[in-house]
Structures are given as C-alpha cells and as structure tokens.
Amino acid sequence: MSNQYDADVIVIGSGALGSNAATILARSGKSVIILEAGEKIPRWKIVENFRNSSKKGNYNSPYPNDPWAHHSYDEQYIENTGPFDFRPGMLKLVGGTTWHWAAACWRYLPNDMKLKSLYGVGRDWPMEYSELEPYYQKAEEALGVCGSDTDDQSGQGGSAFPPRSKPYPMEPEGETYLFQRLKSRLSPAGYHFIHEPNGRATRTYDGRPACSGNNNCMPVCPIGAMYSGDKHAQHAEDAGAILMTDSTAWKLEKGTDDKIIAVHVRSSKGIDTRLTAKYFIVAAHGLETPKLLLISDIANSSDRVGRNLMDHTGMGLQFLADEPLWPGRGAVQQGGNI
Ligand SMILES: Cc1cc2nc3c(=O)[nH]c(=O)nc-3n(C[C@H](O)[C@H](O)[C@H](O)COP(=O)(O)OP(=O)(O)OC[C@H]3O[C@@H](n4cnc5c(N)ncnc54)[C@H](O)[C@@H]3O)c2cc1C
Ligand code: SF4
C-alpha cells in the first residue's frame, strides 16, 4: 500500500458481495478495509435470540436492529408511497442478509438472456449465458453450492440443462420423503419436480459442516452448514483485511475528476472518520448502495441510480395432501417444478 492512502481498497458492506470481493483482494496482497454498519455477532447468539423470540415468523427478529444500523423490517425504514408495502428482509450485521436467506442458487438459463428475441417481451441481455457461465461456476465454488448434474432445469424433463463447464461443487442432499412423494405423484402429470441447487454443504466444505437437515435454515442455520456472508468476512480478515464494525459510511467524497477519493464514516457514538483509498467498492445492499450514491451525488450520469429496483416475485400455494407427507425434515427449500 502507498502511504498516501489508508488502504488500497475500501469495501463498504460485509455481506456476501463485499466480503467475497475483500477476500479475493486481501488474498492477492492488497490492503483492504471493510466498513460495516452493524456488529459482529456469534452464531450461537443469533440462535439464542431466535429461541427467545416471540415473533418466530419474523425472520428479522433474532437479528440486531440498532438505531444506527436499522434493518429493513422497521415500519419507518422504507417510506412506501404506492399501493404495495415493499419490505425486503435486509439485515445489518457482519455477513449481511445471507444470514437468513433461503440459499437457492439457480443460474439464469440461456433463454432468460433472450426474452425479446425468443418470446417478444422485455429486452435481450447484452451478453450470452456462455459468457456468464465461468463466473457462475466461480460463485458456486465460493459459496459452496450443491446441485444435481443431471436435472433438466428447463422444465421439459429431458437431459441436464443449462450447460455447465464443471460439475456442481457438491452433490445434492438426500431426497426427503416429501421430495420423493412430490416427485412420484407429480411426474405422471408432466410436472418435473427437480432438486433446487442451493448453498448448503452436503459434506464438509470450506470449514462448514454437512447439513444435518433440521429445517431451521430461515432464520438461521444453527451450525453454519448453509452459506452466509460471515464466512467470507472471516476469510477476508484471516487474509489481512481490516474489518471495522459500527462504521456506517454516510458520504463518499469526490475529487476534482469526479472519482471517489474518500469515505466519511460515523460510529454509533457519533465519532466521524475520513478514510482514503485508491479504489472503493460499494457493496451495501440493493437499498443502501443507491442511497449512499445518491446522497453523495456519485456515479449517476445516467440518472438511473435508485430507479427500477426489482425484487424477485414470490407466490405462495397451499394444498391439503391426501396422504401424510411428513414435512419439516431437510432444508427449508428442497426442489421445485420449473
Ligand atoms: C428472507 C430472504 C431470503 C432470500 N433468499 C434468497 C435465495 O434463496 N437466493 C438468493 O439468491 N437470494 C436470496 N435472498 C437475497 C440475498 O440474501 C441478497 O441478495 C444478498 O444477501 C445481497 O448481498 P449483498 O452483499 O449485496 O448485501 P447484504 O448481504 O445485505 O450486505 C450488505 C452489508 O452492508 C452493510 N451496510 C449497509 N449500508 C452500509 C453503510 N452505509 N455503511 C456500512 N455498511 C453498510 C449492511 O450492514 C450489510 O452487512 C434472500 C433475501 C431474504 C431477505
Ligand atoms: S437444514 Fe439445518 S443444518 Fe441444514 S442448512 Fe438448514 S438449518 Fe442448516
């Protein structure tokens, strides 16, 4: 590192995205500072909070919600002005929101990149699936994804799809009774129930134990078999990155050429610090990243920052089965009909 700067790279946010970037950079010898608004909390403490919580259906309830690092389930966090109450479950602690994600790790399919030319809707992507494929593979190896190398994810019930350059890092978990029954009952009707590729270790992987199938993945995997960003926050620290908790980046400072030259950081006690680096990575989640860029009037020559935010659509279906299916075993998400 040049003495001119506090670090080669400052990463804002210690979630899956920021911590993976920080790990790669620190391992390649760069000096890295990670700024994290929340605290570093041990897994046992989150598990204990969950046990003691009276709101077990609220996946945010076991996690900290400090006045200086609000998670997004606060009524006041997002000012919804439209007819739809948008409240995604963003978390603020070391490791970020993947602490309570479902760990589904589907790739986009080649057809997803060509919606306009194949189906006449939306727009085509400016790149092909084949160009993204090696990066999907890298991400799956970093996150430790298990999946089936034979399932057809196109829904046709044919041979393995989409194409892969290498097998999944791990084999799928064993099929639960529920999975087996859905598969055998739905297949004759042409609905191909397949395994969901997911970030659960099915053998020891990168320091994680194999999934023991106790179905608590949301809001927290008690044993850390499911991937969460705290793994890479720790990897980054082990590789020499400095992790600063209780450190909210509240402003990016521009230099004469409009490039970021410093970040202004505030602690819960109101102490302000100005930190400089050659490069900055803003990885503060889809809500907080545009907020910080807009507050700082940075990187918005397109006027698109903070617009067109999309969540994935979700649909819940319930049914009464005509036979006992014994759910509640294995991971919270196991498979699906595509
Ligand atoms: C209930 C739930 C289930 C989900 N399931 C899936 C799934 O199955 N598959 C899937 O692909 N995705 C899923 N997601 C989405 C996935 O969790 C997120 O896309 C992912 O965590 C985003 O990672 P990130 O690193 O960008 O942000 P985060 O993980 O949110 O990390 C951002 C970090 O930045 C910190 N931060 C924010 N602002 C500042 C600031 N100003 N200064 C300093 N630090 C700051 C935060 O404290 C946080 O630690 C799910 C999400 C939820 C809520
Ligand atoms: S089933 Fe249990 S051990 Fe497996 S990922 Fe979910 S919570 Fe963790």
Side-chain angles (χ1 to χ4, degrees), residues 246-319:
D246 185 11
S247 298
T248 297
W250 62 274
K251 188 182 169 193
L252 300 165
E253 184 183 322
K254 282 194 282 193
T256 42
D257 58 358
D258 266 5
K259 293 221 165 98
I260 305 170
I261 54 166
V263 56
H264 293 259
V265 186
R266 188 166 295 168
S267 77
S268 57
K269 300 201 169 50
I271 298 165
D272 277 345
T273 315
R274 178 180 178 272
L275 293 171
T276 59
K278 284 187 215 162
Y279 297 100
F280 294 82
I281 296 178
V282 188
H285 184 278
L287 297 175
E288 292 283 346
T289 292
K291 185 170 113 185
L292 186 57
L293 295 177
L294 288 171
I295 288 171
S296 311
D297 188 25
I298 291 271
N300 195 20
S301 60
S302 64
D303 191 35
R304 294 289 90 197
V305 173
R307 301 187 195 277
N308 306 316
L309 175 70
M310 289 189 285
D311 204 335
H312 61 73
T313 45
M315 189 172 69
L317 285 178
Q318 294 181 340
F319 64 92

Side-chain angles (χ1 to χ4, degrees), residues 123-140:
R123 285 184 210 170
D124 286 354
W125 280 51
M127 63 182 80
E128 300 277 334
Y129 169 83
S130 56
E131 291 170 67
L132 270 187
E133 201 282 336
Y135 300 98
Y136 272 131
Q137 186 68 35
K138 273 190 180 186
E140 287 164 354

Side-chain angles (χ1 to χ4, degrees), residues 18-30 32 138 142 232 235-236 239:
S19 289
N20 268 278
T23 299
I24 292 169
L25 289 163
R27 283 179 180 166
S28 72
K30 305 288 179 212
V32 179
K138 273 190 180 186
H232 276 94
H235 285 331

Side-chain angles (χ1 to χ4, degrees), residues 12-18 35-38 59 88-98 100-105 218 247-250 283-286 288 292 312 333:
I12 300 167
S14 70
L17 183 60
L35 299 174
E36 170 52 52
Y59 295 148
M90 179 194 73
L91 295 176
K92 283 197 177 162
L93 73 164
V94 170
T97 306
T98 46
H100 71 175
W101 70 330
C105 290
M218 295 164 86
S247 298
T248 297
W250 62 274
H285 184 278
E288 292 283 346
L292 186 57
H312 61 73
Q333 290 192 9

Side-chain angles (χ1 to χ4, degrees), residues 200 210-218 220-226 330-332:
R200 287 175 187 80
C211 168
S212 60
N214 52 12
N215 202 257
N216 200 75
C217 331
M218 295 164 86
V220 60
C221 173
I223 61 172
M226 181 175 75
V332 292

Side-chain angles (χ1 to χ4, degrees), residues 32-314:
V32 179
I33 295 175
I34 309 173
L35 299 174
E36 170 52 52
E39 293 292 348
K40 188 176 192 176
I41 309 205
R43 189 164 293 270
W44 67 262
K45 180 68 183 146
I46 304 290
V47 176
E48 190 175 82
N49 291 349
F50 174 59
R51 281 208 186 101
N52 295 334
S53 171
S54 60
K55 301 177 195 150
K56 295 229 167 15
N58 175 347
Y59 295 148
N60 279 34
S61 74
Y63 293 93
N65 189 24
D66 296 314
W68 56 91
H70 278 287
H71 62 50
S72 62
Y73 252 46
D74 252 328
E75 298 272 330
Q76 283 81 26
Y77 181 77
I78 295 179
E79 193 181 328
N80 282 292
T81 54
F84 178 70
D85 185 21
F86 180 61
R87 274 205 289 152
M90 179 194 73
L91 295 176
K92 283 197 177 162
L93 73 164
V94 170
T97 306
T98 46
W99 269 92
H100 71 175
W101 70 330
C105 290
W106 300 101
R107 295 176 172 198
Y108 275 7
L109 303 180
N111 293 30
D112 292 323
M113 324 295 284
K114 296 177 188 294
L115 292 182
K116 183 72 181 170
S117 47
L118 290 176
Y119 309 109
V121 294
R123 285 184 210 170
D124 286 354
W125 280 51
M127 63 182 80
E128 300 277 334
Y129 169 83
S130 56
E131 291 170 67
L132 270 187
E133 201 282 336
Y135 300 98
Y136 272 131
Q137 186 68 35
K138 273 190 180 186
E140 287 164 354
E141 286 169 10
L143 271 57
V145 174
C146 72
S148 160
D149 291 316
T150 54
D151 276 345
D152 175 8
Q153 295 181 11
S154 78
Q156 309 295 314
S159 51
F161 187 81
R164 306 181 55 86
S165 52
K166 289 187 205 165
Y168 276 105
M170 280 174 278
E171 304 265 307
E173 59 271 39
E175 293 180 0
T176 61
Y177 183 72
L178 167 69
F179 186 108
Q180 292 172 34
R181 293 304 297 145
L182 284 172
K183 201 163 137 181
S184 61
R185 291 286 299 270
L186 295 174
S187 294
Y191 297 109
H192 304 287
F193 197 80
I194 58 167
H195 176 259
E196 174 184 271
N198 68 77
R200 287 175 187 80
T202 52
R203 57 176 165 80
T204 48
Y205 191 94
D206 194 22
R208 283 148 58 193
C211 168
S212 60
N214 52 12
N215 202 257
N216 200 75
C217 331
M218 295 164 86
V220 60
C221 173
I223 61 172
M226 181 175 75
Y227 178 78
S228 45
D230 56 309
K231 316 280 179 220
H232 276 94
Q234 190 58 54
H235 285 331
E237 277 196 283
D238 293 345
I242 295 167
L243 173 65
M244 291 174 59
T245 56
D246 185 11
S247 298
T248 297
W250 62 274
K251 188 182 169 193
L252 300 165
E253 184 183 322
K254 282 194 282 193
T256 42
D257 58 358
D258 266 5
K259 293 221 165 98
I260 305 170
I261 54 166
V263 56
H264 293 259
V265 186
R266 188 166 295 168
S267 77
S268 57
K269 300 201 169 50
I271 298 165
D272 277 345
T273 315
R274 178 180 178 272
L275 293 171
T276 59
K278 284 187 215 162
Y279 297 100
F280 294 82
I281 296 178
V282 188
H285 184 278
L287 297 175
E288 292 283 346
T289 292
K291 185 170 113 185
L292 186 57
L293 295 177
L294 288 171
I295 288 171
S296 311
D297 188 25
I298 291 271
N300 195 20
S301 60
S302 64
D303 191 35
R304 294 289 90 197
V305 173
R307 301 187 195 277
N308 306 316
L309 175 70
M310 289 189 285
D311 204 335
H312 61 73
T313 45

